[in-house]
Amino acid sequence: HRDLHSFPTRRSSDLFQEALRLKPDYAKALCNLANCFLHEKNDAEAKRLFTEALKYLPDYDPSRPIVENAVRELSAQQSPSS
């Protein structure tokens, strides 16, 4: 019985830190999917996915400006011409 209780347990703060580390990976997965939609000429869905990815990219992530630029460009393409 003692052995069962000797396993290290993970504190919720440890789990929270792990979740924070995974967010950029989730953002990168969203960006990869968005790129697939760009190749399929589905700009609206690509923009939605890039925008969602920005929620998970920290300010210091080097890919953040690239994603922000993609959203701007897609927004400009979708707006009606003046």
Side-chain angles (χ1 to χ4, degrees):
H1 291 287
R2 210 174 234 163
D3 290 339
L4 290 176
H5 299 290
S6 66
F7 286 108
T9 57
R10 299 180 78 183
R11 297 182 316 222
S12 59
S13 60
D14 294 337
L15 294 173
F16 180 71
Q17 291 301 319
E18 183 174 325
L20 288 178
R21 283 193 299 274
L22 293 176
K23 281 186 176 185
D25 291 339
Y26 180 64
K28 286 176 180 50
L30 288 172
C31 289
N32 287 336
L33 187 56
N35 279 322
C36 291
F37 279 101
L38 283 177
H39 290 295
E40 296 295 320
K41 307 293 187 216
N42 189 340
D43 292 352
E45 186 62 11
K47 178 186 169 192
R48 187 189 73 74
L49 290 166
F50 281 132
T51 302
E52 181 72 13
L54 285 173
K55 296 177 188 176
Y56 301 98
L57 281 174
D59 291 339
Y60 58 82
D61 191 299
S63 60
R64 187 173 179 88
I66 298 166
V67 176
E68 290 171 336
N69 190 49
V71 171
R72 274 193 301 276
E73 287 183 12
L74 288 167
S75 295
Q77 290 174 8
Q78 291 177 345
S79 63
S81 300
S82 304

